[in-house]
Amino acid sequence: MNAILIDGEGIVSGECTIGDLNVNSYKKTQAIVKLKSKIEKSAEKDCIMEFINESAVERCSFEFEDTFEASHSYILKVKNGSMEIQKCEFYSSATTVDMKLNSSVVGVESGEMKIFDSAFRDLHSAGSVLLFNRESNVTLLETSISNIKSDGDAVSVWGKAKVVMKIMIIENVTVCSER
């Protein structure tokens, strides 16, 4: 089981820690998800937040703090569905010098994802920051990637994935690939 699962037409709303997320399927609002603790990986799921079928989020912020730890493949993943996010940001407020995420940040396995405004900053990711593969169809209208250290590629596109990136701002990105 995922820590957060939105199945069907789901909207994330309200400010919450990972344990008390509200799901509201009637209107688009905003969510601030503060990832503060260790999240155990289950045998069935490889992500913390998964979108299936059709979902929409007005604004979603993911804040990674010092105590966050997880061994999932992705923080957020779209699987067999359609996901639309108006504004989405992923950032670390950790005070440790190098709080490392043991996963890619956003992945699309199959399905569609459209993000109008996205930002990734102050993170160290063990995998690619953005990973699109298989039958994914992704549109990123404005994306900012700054102060990032990645042990994989910053952006990876595999298989039959189709990705459209309109405006991409990349600043201070270090890629530590061992190939």
Side-chain angles (χ1 to χ4, degrees):
M1 174 168 277
N2 289 317
I4 304 172
L5 170 65
I6 296 179
D7 189 353
E9 182 146 344
I11 311 296
V12 180
S13 68
E15 181 172 342
C16 58
T17 58
I18 203 82
D20 62 359
L21 185 72
N22 292 320
V23 176
N24 179 343
S25 61
Y26 300 108
K27 60 183 179 176
K28 294 181 182 181
T29 55
Q30 68 177 13
I32 299 171
V33 181
K34 295 186 178 184
L35 298 161
K36 302 172 94 163
S37 61
K38 183 173 182 175
I39 299 173
E40 296 295 334
K41 184 177 176 181
S42 70
E44 306 89 42
K45 302 295 180 183
D46 65 346
C47 60
I48 291 173
M49 185 175 210
E50 182 175 55
F51 292 92
I52 302 170
N53 299 329
E54 292 195 30
S55 302
V57 176
E58 185 70 28
R59 182 174 185 271
C60 199
S61 297
F62 292 85
E63 178 184 349
F64 302 97
E65 297 188 1
D66 287 306
T67 55
F68 175 71
E69 184 182 336
S71 58
H72 299 75
S73 298
Y74 307 95
I75 301 299
L76 182 148
K77 182 173 95 171
V78 176
K79 179 180 180 177
N80 299 326
S82 175
M83 176 71 226
E84 181 179 297
I85 302 175
Q86 293 294 319
K87 182 171 180 66
C88 190
E89 58 185 347
F90 297 86
Y91 61 94
S92 173
S93 63
T95 55
T96 54
V97 176
D98 192 18
M99 193 277 290
K100 185 175 180 180
L101 301 174
N102 293 319
S103 60
S104 293
V105 182
V106 174
V108 181
E109 190 173 278
S110 59
E112 296 182 20
M113 181 175 74
K114 184 174 189 176
I115 302 179
F116 291 87
D117 184 359
S118 58
F120 303 85
R121 66 179 188 277
D122 305 321
L123 298 172
H124 183 173
S125 175
S128 300
V129 177
L130 298 165
L131 178 59
F132 310 121
N133 57 23
R134 297 187 190 166
E135 302 288 329
S136 58
N137 188 354
V138 178
T139 302
L140 302 173
L141 296 181
E142 186 170 335
T143 304
S144 171
I145 300 174
S146 61
N147 300 327
I148 298 288
K149 198 186 286 187
S150 176
D151 293 353
D153 300 317
V155 179
S156 293
V157 180
W158 295 89
K160 296 180 181 179
K162 295 179 199 169
V163 179
V164 174
M165 295 182 216
K166 297 284 184 172
I167 300 171
M168 179 73 81
I169 300 165
I170 299 176
E171 298 176 315
N172 195 22
V173 174
T174 303
V175 178
C176 312
S177 292
E178 292 183 23
R179 295 182 187 206

